[in-house]
Amino acid sequence: MAVRRTTSSRILGGALTTLLFGIGVRFLCGLRFMAGVGLGLPLGLWYTLSDPENSIMREISRDNILRAISGDQIMRVLSKENFRNLSPRQLFQFNTANPVHPSIGTTGTLYLLYSYTIELIWWLRAPGIWCWQLLRLIVFTLLMLPGFIPVFIHYLTSSSVQKNIPYGKRFRQQLDVYLPYKPSNREEGKKYPVVIFITGGAWIIGYKVWGFIMGQLLQKNGIICVSSDYRNFPQASVGNMLDDIEDSIEWVKRNIIRYGGDLDQVTLVGQSAGAHLSALALLKRMTTSEDNLRGNWDFTLIKHWIGISGPYDIERLIPALSSRGLHKRVLRALFDDLENQSPLQYLKRYKEKIDSKKKPSFPKMHQSSE
């Protein structure tokens, strides 16, 4: 009876969460109530199924078959460890598809997702252009599902993809490591080239999992790929995102050797907003004094940089970004120091200082219209 009462209360709580989300969206953002309920439904389902006592799971599966692989249990154990001192064997043991950061927890993650979603809707005001772009994205995803699903299942289940490894204590400070070998068949002493991949997403919807296709292609070609996540707007400005990227590169410097990575062959790759952020992080590393550097990695760690479809002259692109739904007031909040956060302008300002440095190779990949 206790289990049934707990289950009923979780279901009721999930329904109330969805209802309150709909009311909040209606009055705070001016959207229709049913639109808010639709947005809040995933949150309500998550609340219902994220029972801290696992009573729902006990009722569904009396054999407790999920106990050994419970993401929350793994994360609680992992949060008690010093991440930097874990051996590769221990990291393999704790590998989990559960995206909840150990220092945040499930409840904290739900709260942050809820609050940042409301804040983002308030910033964007959900104009028609965003609704249209969202519809296009949904249609594209549905059309590509036959190709996406097998690769994504491999991402979720493969022991060669080490998922959700924290590189910091904040929300979204996690990364995935794609290994070109199975943990049980690693060849001792062999070193592998390393690619650090920073995903795009208009500084708003970026997520490390967007690199799951590139990561698997690289690992099949004998390359270790590290797909780094970073905080998005409105949780963070571009300055905060740069901090996250620098911290993730610091993690690579400290830890990738234990995975067989070769620190003499490290390439930094960014796509779209990730290309902008990675280029800016590298340029700032070349011009900042050692006393003001974040972490201990030097820009010479990066032997090559590749930017894919990146925006590098932000000031000139403001009209185009505004026409695509990023209103100027959003851009003013996103770029807290626009003059120093446009890579092309930054390069012109510090050209002499940068020219005196031994730079990595800087190929760019983009469409002719960009």
Side-chain angles (χ1 to χ4, degrees), residues 49 53 95 105 206-207 291:
L49 297 175
E53 298 179 357
N95 178 41
Y207 188 44
D291 294 337

Side-chain angles (χ1 to χ4, degrees), residues 103-121:
S103 66
I104 305 297
T106 302
T107 303
T109 299
L110 287 172
Y111 171 78
L112 290 174
L113 287 172
Y114 179 88
S115 59
Y116 290 136
T117 300
I118 291 292
E119 187 177 354
L120 180 61
I121 293 174

Side-chain angles (χ1 to χ4, degrees), residues 83-97:
F83 301 128
R84 292 180 177 176
N85 294 330
L86 289 176
S87 67
R89 184 182 297 275
Q90 290 172 310
L91 287 171
F92 292 147
Q93 178 184 355
F94 292 124
N95 178 41
T96 172

